[in-house]
Amino acid sequence: MTAVESTDVLVVGSGFGGAVAAYHLAAGGAGVVLLERGPWLADEEFEHDFRLGSSYTRIFDFVIGDGLSVLGGNCVGGGSVVYFAAMPRAPGFAFERRGSLRRRMWPADVSRDTLDPWYDRVAEALPVTTQDWDEVPYAGGLWAAACARAGHTANPVPVAVDTGTCVNCNWMIAGCRFGAKRSLLANYLPAALAHGARIRPLHEVQHLSRNDDGGYRVHYTVVDGDDYRVHTDGGSIDAKIVVLAAGAAATPVILRRSERALGRMPHAVGRYLSGNGERLNTAVVDEDRARDLLGLSRDGGRAYAANQIGRGPAVANWDRLDASLPEYSRFSLEQLYFPPGLGTILAQAPGPAGPEWFGPAKKEMLRRWQSWLTVFTMSEDDNEGVFGEPPATGNAVRISQQMLGRGTLRYHPTANTLRGWAESDAAVRAIAERDGLATVLPWTGELVGAYTVHPLASCRIGDDPATSALDGRHELRGHPGIFVTDGSAVPAALTVNPAMTIAALAERAMPGLVESARRRGVPVTYGAPGPAGETAARRATAPLAAHLARDPRSVPGARRR
């Protein structure tokens, strides 16, 4: 074991919540160490290959739970390296959700209006842009045309992608080797490094303990770079402030494992996890009908047959993001892409007795894989996820050399959640199957359960101590100096991709976090520009930051809609 080190701030995880915190604290003068469980890869190391040991298996974490499996990033840059770079803002009604609690889940001072200036900061830093229709690739164009023909609208999705650099390889889920995706490797993290932050990959945090001076000791193990089941070393680092951003499937596990040393955790730690209401439908497109009904054509006489070309998601249908609709009936339908290996697993051809994993129907479907159109639903669930007792180490029991683990998460969807999924499935069929354009094959959880790529809410912010683990400043209740800034802090499903909201909430948390660090003896200030020196959005948030540093409930206009 190595000797105990010390730093002002210890950040766990390098996704949006960790990278934003590491940058602002380092830029403000604090000593920052960031520990990341996964490897650190450069652009040229991202491979277009599914073999074991390729970047594809090294940078993912796939945890199988009881009723829900979670797919996330496992590398420096976290989810931003493996996400599809879709960055919409959450609709206003998402912040007013009541869910099964039957009362507003979000803190009273957080609304779409009060979060918009922080959204602007993220959009400027990455940057985030809205695609033009002439930049939308084949799959997005097909989905837009199908929506229009069925009487629905379609919208290009805001993305953190340099579309001029993108080569439309459609491997961005495995990391972008062309530098087109604006992951955190291109902005917040290099800026944090420039200000002196230290990033240590393959360091998995196991638990926290409290020091006599009121600070914390963070205990970690070093993970073997080839076999994640093997831990080669370990150590501890003392810090005055700890920022947990290991992801909604790992942060609550670390905190639950820390109870023996820290004392009782808030009731909401490891409860109320949301899968963002996610659902998949695979539409197998009839090429002749696509040509005749939609007027589409490609070189070589093909109408579509382009599932592997482009980037995803590029186009979404947002007609059901309507505040006047009842809760659980609101959802977005987003064209998506999975590479053939993963898509083959996800695609199921239902027969009379259920999904057919083998046989003629499945073989015919796979033969036509280039004609697939995957439609991704993000709806409203009931926060059904609950974590069991933590495993001995990590967030799951590793059952393969890389990527795969079995966790203690239990998720059994309520009637509300199931109703939302059924309504979204029907909406996909109404659009894609109109006049025989495609055959829709919905995801079924009968064999492997539900899934999510956007877990949320397992350590959520809120005003009610009985149902939220964090206060409005993202500080862990009963444990001053511990903050959570990842997706686990988001109180409920958002009906859209959550990365933009996670990053905006992290930006919003920084003034209060910096002030807390100052009170604990850290020589740090708040007020840095964006990672590349951007200042326009900073000027807009300056008056908000001053209030948040004192008391988030004093923000002007907190409940405007």
Side-chain angles (χ1 to χ4, degrees):
M1 298 283 283
T2 57
V4 176
E5 304 175 61
S6 64
T7 185
D8 293 328
V9 180
L10 192 291
V11 179
V12 183
S14 58
F16 283 103
V20 169
Y23 165 65
H24 281 287
L25 290 159
V32 176
V33 173
L34 187 155
L35 302 183
E36 164 59 49
R37 178 181 59 189
W40 192 347
L41 275 64
D43 288 353
E44 60 273 14
E45 295 180 90
F46 295 122
E47 301 166 86
H48 296 177
D49 200 306
F50 292 106
R51 74 183 189 279
L52 179 64
S54 71
S55 62
Y56 192 83
T57 63
R58 293 172 64 199
I59 63 178
F60 271 110
D61 184 45
F62 186 66
V63 176
I64 301 168
D66 175 8
L68 182 73
S69 295
V70 179
L71 181 67
N74 181 58
C75 55
V76 173
S80 79
V81 174
V82 299
Y83 80 148
F84 285 115
M87 297 292 277
R89 305 182 186 203
F93 67 75
F95 301 96
E96 305 299 326
R97 284 203 58 208
R98 299 168 66 85
S100 59
L101 293 178
R102 294 181 172 81
R103 59 182 180 276
R104 194 176 189 269
M105 288 186 276
W106 285 77
D109 62 298
V110 182
S111 68
R112 170 61 187 269
D113 286 342
T114 60
L115 201 57
D116 261 332
W118 306 102
Y119 277 133
D120 291 343
R121 289 207 68 158
V122 179
E124 184 180 56
L126 293 183
V128 175
T129 57
T130 299
Q131 303 167 92
D132 293 328
W133 280 110
D134 60 3
E135 297 176 306
V136 168
Y138 293 112
L142 177 69
W143 179 236
C147 287
R149 192 173 188 280
H152 293 281
T153 64
N155 307 272
V157 177
V159 293
V161 176
D162 181 350
T163 55
T165 303
C166 179
V167 300
N168 288 318
C169 70
N170 239 333
W171 275 88
M172 64 191 302
I173 194 173
C176 181
R177 65 180 293 109
F178 304 105
K181 181 163 64 174
R182 291 161 175 151
S183 75
L184 297 166
L185 297 174
N187 35 72
Y188 283 97
L189 289 175
L193 288 169
H195 286 283
R198 292 170 286 166
I199 299 176
R200 296 181 183 173
L202 299 172
H203 281 56
E204 182 174 70
V205 171
Q206 303 301 339
H207 73 280
L208 315 180
S209 60
R210 186 175 286 108
N211 294 329
D212 292 339
D213 62 1
Y216 295 92
R217 180 162 292 179
V218 179
H219 305 266
Y220 65 85
T221 53
V222 179
V223 180
D224 182 81
D226 294 319
D227 189 339
Y228 297 165
R229 298 168 297 185
V230 176
H231 292 178
T232 62
D233 198 358
S236 303
I237 300 178
D238 288 344
K240 298 183 175 91
I241 292 284
V242 175
V243 180
L244 287 172
T251 288
V253 179
I254 294 171
L255 289 175
R256 290 283 298 277
R257 193 183 291 116
S258 302
E259 276 192 308
R260 183 176 301 175
L262 293 181
R264 187 174 181 179
M265 288 291 141
H267 173 77
V269 170
R271 292 180 172 85
Y272 306 117
L273 181 133
S274 164
N276 203 33
E278 293 176 357
R279 181 107 171 127
L280 277 179
N281 283 266
T282 300
V284 183
V285 176
D286 184 307
E287 291 287 332
D288 291 334
R289 301 300 281 167
R291 179 184 299 105
D292 296 342
L293 295 175
L294 305 180
L296 301 181
S297 64
R298 285 184 57 209
D299 294 342
R302 293 168 293 183
Y304 174 46
N307 184 49
Q308 81 281 18
I309 302 171
R311 60 190 175 277
V315 172
N317 167 258
W318 290 329
D319 290 352
R320 294 293 289 267
L321 298 187
D322 182 348
S324 69
L325 292 172
E327 199 168 358
Y328 308 105
S329 292
R330 303 175 295 202
F331 50 80
S332 60
L333 302 175
E334 193 172 75
Q335 158 268 324
L336 190 59
Y337 173 78
F338 282 111
L342 186 56
T344 299
I345 297 171
L346 295 178
Q348 301 179 65
E356 296 179 3
W357 288 87
F358 307 100
K362 183 73 172 185
K363 289 179 180 178
E364 172 60 18
M365 183 185 180
L366 297 181
R367 185 185 68 80
R368 299 173 58 191
W369 72 269
Q370 291 186 90
S371 296
W372 291 357
L373 176 71
T374 303
V375 182
F376 183 45
T377 294
M378 288 164 282
S379 60
E380 295 169 314
D381 68 1
D382 249 339
N383 293 73
E384 296 99 321
V386 179
F387 286 86
E389 287 299 311
T393 61
N395 66 314
V397 176
R398 295 292 148 195
I399 56 179
S400 70
Q401 185 173 330
Q402 295 169 8
M403 191 174 179
L404 190 61
R406 180 168 292 280
T408 64
L409 175 64
R410 302 186 306 277
Y411 183 94
H412 301 291
T414 65
N416 289 329
T417 300
L418 292 171
R419 185 177 74 248
W421 288 349
E423 289 187 21
S424 67
D425 285 352
V428 174
R429 289 195 301 272
I431 294 171
E433 292 187 340
R434 185 182 179 94
D435 297 323
L437 174 64
T439 300
V440 174
L441 308 171
W443 173 268
T444 174
E446 294 175 7
L447 295 179
V448 295
Y451 75 94
T452 181
V453 294
H454 300 130
L456 305 169
S458 54
C459 290
R460 61 190 185 183
I461 56 174
D463 291 332
D464 179 8
T467 58
S468 59
L470 313 173
D471 63 20
R473 296 160 63 96
H474 289 247
E475 194 165 20
L476 184 66
R477 297 185 185 279
H479 301 275
I482 298 177
F483 291 81
V484 176
T485 57
D486 57 19
S488 62
V490 178
L494 298 172
T495 68
V496 296
N497 313 76
M500 188 70 166
T501 300
I502 294 169
L505 286 172
E507 282 279 3
R508 175 186 171 276
M510 289 306 107
L513 201 158
V514 166
E515 182 57 31
S516 178
R518 288 171 57 85
R519 291 198 304 268
R520 297 175 73 85
V522 178
V524 62
T525 59
Y526 176 78
E534 309 93 351
T535 59
R538 181 185 66 170
R539 290 194 294 270
T541 58
L544 299 174
H547 285 279
L548 287 167
R550 296 194 294 272
D551 184 345
R553 291 168 294 184
S554 66
V555 177
R559 290 301 303 275
R560 293 198 313 273
R561 297 186 178 91

